[in-house]
Amino acid sequence: MDALHPRLLAARFAECFRFYEAVLPKLIGAHLVQGTEDGPYANWDRGEEGALILFDRGAMAAAIGTADLPATAGPAQDAAMLVCRVDAVDEALALCLEHGGTLVAEAADRPQWGPTLRTAHLRDPDGNLIELQSY
């Protein structure tokens, strides 16, 4: 049973689906369990545990009665981030960018965060912040 797992609400469902379907197997060994790029739902597992669920933002808004609210807020700092521990940050970043990710911060060593930590930051096609890390 999954105790806690991320569910991203995607406005650009098909693009996000293609991005995660291309990168999750290579980044963390997750496989698609259910869904297609037609949406409104898809999920990837790693072994028996849920790794990521993608859900259409409009479908969720309709389900909870918030469809009349704006889809996005004004410019602001990020409130959440997906973190993927990978073997090689530079290779993982190249894979993500090849499949539609947008660079936020180049790969860099971050000894102030941990003695051997290396990170890179990018956004998925819907703008969600992702950190790739190795240590």
Side-chain angles (χ1 to χ4, degrees):
M1 175 171 52
D2 303 325
L4 183 64
H5 55 272
R7 178 176 291 180
L8 294 179
L9 304 177
R12 297 165 56 185
F13 188 92
E15 289 175 70
C16 286
F17 176 91
R18 289 190 298 270
F19 174 79
Y20 286 109
E21 176 60 3
V23 304
L24 285 177
K26 295 174 184 170
L27 290 180
I28 63 170
H31 65 281
L32 181 66
V33 175
Q34 179 181 353
T36 69
E37 70 178 67
D38 296 327
Y41 177 93
N43 73 286
W44 290 263
D45 287 357
R46 184 170 182 232
E48 298 292 320
E49 294 291 322
L52 178 69
I53 293 175
L54 196 62
F55 198 86
D56 181 80
R57 184 181 295 169
M60 180 57 69
I64 63 172
T66 59
D68 58 332
L69 296 176
T72 59
Q77 295 177 2
D78 294 284
M81 173 175 67
L82 295 177
V83 178
C84 294
R85 185 173 178 188
V86 298
D87 292 330
V89 169
D90 298 80
E91 292 172 18
L93 178 60
L95 173 71
C96 291
L97 297 179
E98 176 185 331
H99 290 284
T102 304
L103 182 65
V104 172
E106 293 280 354
D109 295 328
R110 301 209 182 265
Q112 68 277 25
W113 294 358
T116 61
L117 187 64
R118 184 167 180 78
T119 68
H121 295 85
L122 66 135
R123 293 191 186 281
D124 72 10
D126 215 38
N128 296 298
L129 184 61
I130 299 170
E131 176 178 286
L132 303 171
Q133 64 171 233
S134 66
Y135 52 92

